[in-house]
Amino acid sequence: MSTLLIPLVGPIQSWSVDARFGERLTLQEPSKSGVIGLLCAALGRDRKEPIGDLVSMPFGVRVDRPGVLLRDYHTALEVASAGTTSRDTVLSNRWYLSDAAFLVGFQGDAEFLGRLHNALKHPVWPVFLGRKACLPALPLAMPDAVVDAPLIDALRAASPLPSAELSQAFRLVIDDPKGPQSRPDQPTGPFAQRQFSLRRVRTDVFAWNLPASS
């Protein structure tokens, strides 16, 4: 079994699972649905197309730098109201993670992961870190990104990202059917249907074995 590793690093990121109203929050780490959406953009896959091949792969996140929460008090003018001709001013709080760095991974067949890696090198559509305003600061296609190792081993063994906080323990959030936690970001059909279910996860913590200073 192989793992595809993808670095998600940028000035701002936002991984929301409920962004329809005035309070648009972000999770503390990338959502599975959000990263699958990123892969769909790279592949040029329409929102109406099936995504079962992506959803079925185990997913994990290594938090190299958690970032800090950033709020954008957002004002939109002249917004059309459904069913009327009026245009209103809409206020919302939009939350982002500032200066965060994550290494995410998908476990699957090496050939399929290689195709995904190639799509990240040459994306059909622009790719974003959750929202269109969130541009990646590093290429999403790392060299040697397809690793011949299970998901958790690949995430643990990969070198820290350039902005990683090596002095702190790293957090791993891994798909686990028996995990004690849940995330509401498992797509149950094409994105056009906007239907999601809970996925079970577990959180592990580990520290880097740094060399002693001389």
Side-chain angles (χ1 to χ4, degrees):
M1 193 60 65
S2 299
T3 298
L4 171 64
L5 298 173
I6 309 170
L8 302 178
V9 181
I12 56 173
Q13 307 184 35
S14 188
W15 305 99
S16 177
V17 293
D18 186 6
R20 292 173 293 176
F21 303 106
E23 199 72 19
R24 304 192 176 189
L25 306 177
T26 179
L27 298 177
Q28 292 183 313
E29 69 274 337
S31 63
K32 186 173 184 178
S33 57
V35 182
I36 289 175
L38 182 153
L39 290 174
C40 287
L43 292 165
R45 205 177 276 194
D46 187 83
R47 290 177 56 85
K48 297 180 181 178
E49 294 185 54
I51 55 175
D53 53 347
L54 300 173
V55 173
S56 63
M57 294 189 297
F59 173 71
V61 180
R62 191 183 78 191
V63 182
D64 282 28
R65 185 179 179 89
V68 296
L69 278 174
L70 175 69
R71 186 187 71 158
D72 173 26
Y73 182 70
H74 192 271
T75 303
L77 303 176
E78 298 292 316
V79 177
S81 299
T84 71
T85 59
S86 65
R87 292 183 174 271
D88 303 320
T89 298
V90 176
L91 306 177
S92 62
N93 290 307
R94 303 188 180 192
W95 293 89
Y96 300 87
L97 294 173
S98 175
D99 295 326
F102 306 101
L103 185 66
V104 305
F106 284 96
Q107 180 179 290
D109 174 73
E111 181 179 354
F112 180 55
L113 296 179
R115 295 203 300 270
L116 296 179
H117 184 235
N118 189 62
L120 292 172
K121 288 182 181 178
H122 310 285
V124 175
W125 299 325
V127 291
F128 313 103
L129 305 183
R131 293 184 188 151
K132 290 184 178 180
C134 305
L135 301 178
L138 293 179
L140 300 181
M142 301 193 311
D144 304 319
V146 179
V147 181
D148 185 20
L151 175 63
I152 190 167
D153 294 342
L155 287 172
R156 282 179 174 270
S159 299
L161 296 172
S163 56
E165 294 183 348
L166 297 178
S167 61
Q168 299 185 11
F170 282 33
R171 187 171 85 249
L172 290 170
V173 182
I174 305 291
D175 277 359
D176 183 345
K178 298 181 180 180
Q181 304 156 335
S182 63
R183 300 286 188 276
D185 60 354
Q186 178 89 351
T188 58
F191 280 116
Q193 296 179 2
R194 298 184 64 85
Q195 295 179 352
F196 304 90
S197 64
L198 294 176
R199 66 182 171 99
R200 306 300 299 183
V201 302
R202 77 175 192 270
T203 298
D204 296 338
V205 177
F206 79 102
W208 289 100
N209 295 319
L210 300 178
S213 57
S214 56

